[in-house]
């Protein structure tokens, strides 16, 4: 079958819970008489995407270099103490 003989396929999209079809240029419904889009969800969606972008790419909070250095040195000591406590508790309950 030649590509010219086939009927054009319907293109669909899905954004969240909303589904729709993509209409080729010139075949869509005529625009509203007032010039405004009848579907306001597109505007709300773009605002939400803009908010997500600004919220997700903001600068992360940091406790400071001195606090991070203390945390890096204290972590092995705390983990070793926790390990010893767990071994002690297991030995005590095994009797």
């Amino acid at each position: 079958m030649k590509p010219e003989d086939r009927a054009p396929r319907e293109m669909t999209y899905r954004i969240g819970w909303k589904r729709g079809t993509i209409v080729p240029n010139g075949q869509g419904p005529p625009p509203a008489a007032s010039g405004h889009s009848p579907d306001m969800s597109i505007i709300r969606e773009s605002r939400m995407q803009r908010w997500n972008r600004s919220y997700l790419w903001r600068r992360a909070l940091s406790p400071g270099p001195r606090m991070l250095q203390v945390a890096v040195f204290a972590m092995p000591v705390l983990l070793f103490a926790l390990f010893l406590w767990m071994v002690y508790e297991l030995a005590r309950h095994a009797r």
Side-chain angles (χ1 to χ4, degrees):
M1 179 178 270
K2 296 181 180 178
E4 300 87 31
D5 296 340
R6 283 190 272 160
R9 292 175 54 182
E10 180 182 58
M11 295 185 291
T12 61
Y13 67 91
R14 180 174 165 190
I15 300 174
W17 57 269
K18 184 179 179 184
R19 291 183 182 202
T21 59
I22 299 173
V23 181
N25 290 340
Q27 295 181 5
S34 65
H36 296 290
S37 173
D39 187 14
M40 296 301 286
S41 66
I42 297 170
I43 295 171
R44 277 185 258 129
E45 185 176 319
S46 66
R47 286 181 187 160
M48 184 61 80
Q49 287 174 349
R50 196 172 19 205
W51 180 83
N52 283 339
R53 250 192 325 265
S54 65
Y55 182 75
L56 291 174
W57 292 109
R58 68 181 180 170
R59 188 175 182 94
L61 298 176
S62 176
R66 180 70 179 147
M67 188 62 134
L68 288 175
Q69 185 180 14
V70 169
V72 166
F73 285 116
M75 186 69 67
V77 174
L78 292 174
L79 289 175
F80 184 71
L82 179 67
F83 174 77
L84 287 179
W85 176 75
M86 288 173 35
V87 169
Y88 171 75
E89 288 293 323
L90 285 172
R92 195 177 80 172
H93 290 292
R95 293 182 196 171

